[in-house]
Amino acid sequence: MSSSNQTPLLSYDVVDGSVDCKGRPVYRSSSGGWRSASFIIGVEVAERFAYYGISSNLITFLTGPLGQSTATAAENINVWSGTASLLPLLGAFVADSFLGRYRTIIVASLIYILGLGLLTLSALLPSDAAATGCRSTDLPCSPVPFQLILFFFALYLVAIGQSGHKPCVQAFGADQFDGQDPQESKAKSSFFNWWYCCMCAGTLVTLLVLNYIQDNLNWGLGFGIPCVVMVFALIIFLLGTKTYRYTIKGDEESGFLRIGCVFVSSIRNWRTTPSAIAFEEEARGTLPHQSSEQYKHSTKVVFCSCQLVEDLSYKALFLNKALLAPNGLKKDGKVCSLSDVEEAKAVLRLVPIWTTCLVFAVVFAQTSTFFTKQGVTMDRSISPSLDLPAASLQSFISLAIVLFIPIYDRVLVPIARALTSKPSGITMLQRIGSGLFLSVVAMIVAALVEMKRLKTAKEHGLVDLPNVTIPMSVWWLIPQYVLFGVAEAFTMVGLQEFFYDQVPSDLRSVGLSLYLSIFGVGSFLSSFLIFIIEKATGGDGRYSWFANNLNRAHLDYFYWLLAGLSAVQLFFYVFFAKSYIYNRGGGTA
């Protein structure tokens, strides 16, 4: 009797689709959940501490010890940041197709540590800029060539390390919750909130501590501490090995390859007529999937100015050609299944959402570049003997997120849940859209504050004295940082959950890397935009919008431009979001 009662209990306790580190079935009571997720969150906190320990104050290092101009430094940072955000696509492919997330995280961490170590070494080398006392407001100086080569080699090695670390750690953390279990499914939704909250807590410590060390003590120490922290992060991750749930990799083809095959087969069958596709669907006894219906609906409601939707509608229906063998020879050609085609359509349907978030990524790139350079020119004194490092102002973004996310998760979500009857309170796309709106407001505020700063410099006769502190408190910049922090809490977490949830289950690392690629492309767009504006507004004795002397520059014009682009982006985002159909019951848009 006792044995028969225990069997159903043990059967329920086994987590389907997961095994332990030795390949054995795992039990719900002894694996995964918040216990395992806490190890992984700890690793992410350490990794973000290390990453932002480098990136947050990078513009100061480039314009200081390396002696680059403001515009050149901003372009270099945007290119590096863009590369660091795009490379996770490669890391995710390697993880999902070959190594698995656990092994990829370990390999990536080792590369990460090597890059940070070399970066520390490059900072310890003497530079001509430091020796001659060059500053960002002087003419650019030339650093030691070997130091420059070593620095950028190490910097991009860090980007390679992040490429395997970033998409896999979060996906691996979410894998610790069983989406089929009601309680764990609810916990998974909260996981994304607390993940980002804890991650920003690590960033907050970085901005308050490391930036002070880098500005006032030593760059070698400021880069060396992140290296040590990453070593501890790897140790923490390995400590949780026996508690983790590892997703079983089936014998079927990689999801990446399946979807690629659909696109290739569709192209090879480009001459196939619609009647042949309809006949094949009828022969298989299949009906149009809801994703296909979405495309048909989109084509009917879209007017000429929204050519992107029509193009995507055509391409989505074009993918049905993959259901047929090339030239009708089923023996020689590979025929894709209907589920493969629908998976490919699901990925393609993410393109409008991905595209309409790019301007947000461009705005995001300014927080660690021009926002910081603004702060350098203002009164940052906390006490007669202590100045707040300009890069530490970014801590108000992290602080806003750390304070807002618990309120959102524990107060706003239950209220919204009661009103909408949705488990998450509001849909993922509604959450993203709320953040996009706040980013418009943040850029308007930033433009107004910059106008005030320029006016103050003019009133006190400091326009041509860039090294003199403007008598305007740096606290004027806080509203734009806080607004952008709340915008991040909405948009960033929403994008993470959206791209994790809406891709095929065996492509979730790729899904998260797609979210990261938004910010990679956004950084490149920011760099391109700065380059074009610098060329268009500078030269012939004129001061560009990004002149080294910010009192002669016009960052306010740039911020107004970004505010306008963000407003246009929001309009198109709402349009696309309203017609989006979720894959796995994520709610209606």
Side-chain angles (χ1 to χ4, degrees), residues 374 377-378 446-464 470-472 476-477 544-545 547 549-560:
Q374 279 179 281
T377 69
M378 301 170 73
L448 293 173
V449 171
E450 177 60 8
M451 290 173 67
K452 167 70 176 174
R453 192 191 69 83
L454 292 174
K455 182 180 178 181
T456 303
K458 185 175 181 180
E459 289 175 348
H460 289 81
L462 301 176
V463 172
D464 293 314
I470 295 174
M472 176 178 171
W476 277 86
L477 297 177
S544 76
W545 288 9
N549 179 1
L550 287 189
N551 298 338
R552 286 286 186 181
H554 272 294
L555 289 182
D556 54 334
Y557 293 172
F558 184 55
Y559 292 161
W560 281 120

Side-chain angles (χ1 to χ4, degrees), residues 97-276:
S97 301
F98 304 105
L99 293 182
R101 289 165 194 154
Y102 177 80
R103 292 187 185 91
T104 303
I105 292 169
I106 293 175
V107 173
S109 296
L110 293 173
I111 296 173
Y112 212 131
I113 292 167
L114 176 62
L116 290 171
L118 292 176
L119 201 64
T120 303
L121 178 62
S122 72
L124 292 173
L125 295 174
S127 66
D128 289 346
T132 57
C134 284
R135 295 293 182 268
S136 59
T137 51
D138 299 327
L139 290 175
C141 304
S142 299
V144 177
F146 176 73
Q147 181 193 23
L148 194 64
I149 294 170
L150 180 61
F151 175 80
F152 279 104
F153 174 75
L155 199 61
Y156 279 89
L157 204 57
V158 169
I160 293 172
Q162 192 199 225
S163 71
H165 200 280
K166 191 62 179 171
C168 296
V169 173
Q170 188 172 17
F172 192 57
D175 288 345
Q176 305 310 308
F177 300 93
D178 182 10
Q180 305 304 314
D181 180 79
Q183 292 300 319
E184 291 197 18
S185 178
K186 187 181 292 186
K188 179 184 281 190
S189 182
S190 289
F191 166 77
F192 286 97
N193 287 327
W194 290 104
W195 169 276
Y196 204 72
C197 181
C198 293
M199 184 187 79
C200 289
T203 305
L204 180 61
V205 175
T206 297
L207 297 171
L208 292 175
V209 177
L210 277 186
N211 290 161
Y212 178 83
I213 292 173
Q214 291 165 352
D215 282 359
N216 296 281
L217 298 179
N218 184 278
W219 281 100
L221 183 62
F223 287 159
I225 292 175
C227 182
V228 174
V229 168
M230 272 305 296
V231 172
F232 280 107
L234 179 57
I235 294 172
I236 291 171
F237 180 72
L238 293 174
L239 287 175
T241 298
K242 292 184 179 180
T243 72
Y244 298 145
R245 296 174 185 172
Y246 303 84
T247 303
I248 297 174
K249 191 171 180 62
D251 295 330
E252 71 272 8
E253 213 173 22
S254 161
F256 204 94
L257 296 178
R258 291 200 309 271
I259 291 175
C261 180
V262 171
F263 283 98
V264 171
S265 298
S266 300
I267 293 171
R268 293 178 66 184
N269 289 339
W270 68 277
R271 291 183 177 178
T272 304
T273 61
S275 59

